[in-house]
Amino acid sequence: MRPANPPRRIRHIHIESGALKLDYQASAEQAQNVADALMGNGYSELKLRITVDDNVTDDLPALPCAELWEE
């Protein structure tokens, strides 16, 4: 019998650029993948500030299209 998959760790991702401030909850893998993608790949001119932390609250919306960020 296979052991059950461990629960996914949920993280808070904060994306900020000037007046734009976005906050979402996502799996740890998805949040890190988004942060890595936005901090590289030619997005440096946007001057984004991105943090990933454990400040998850029930009112945070889920990361849009989160499944796109799974590897």
Side-chain angles (χ1 to χ4, degrees), residues 21-33:
K21 293 176 177 53
L22 304 170
D23 290 282
Y24 298 107
Q25 60 176 296
S27 74
E29 179 184 29
Q30 291 165 339
Q32 194 59 56
N33 288 344

Side-chain angles (χ1 to χ4, degrees), residues 41-59:
N41 298 328
Y43 290 102
S44 60
E45 71 276 357
L46 297 177
K47 298 182 180 163
L48 296 173
R49 185 172 151 225
I50 301 170
T51 56
V52 177
D53 58 40
D54 292 319
N55 296 329
V56 179
T57 61
D58 290 337
D59 63 328

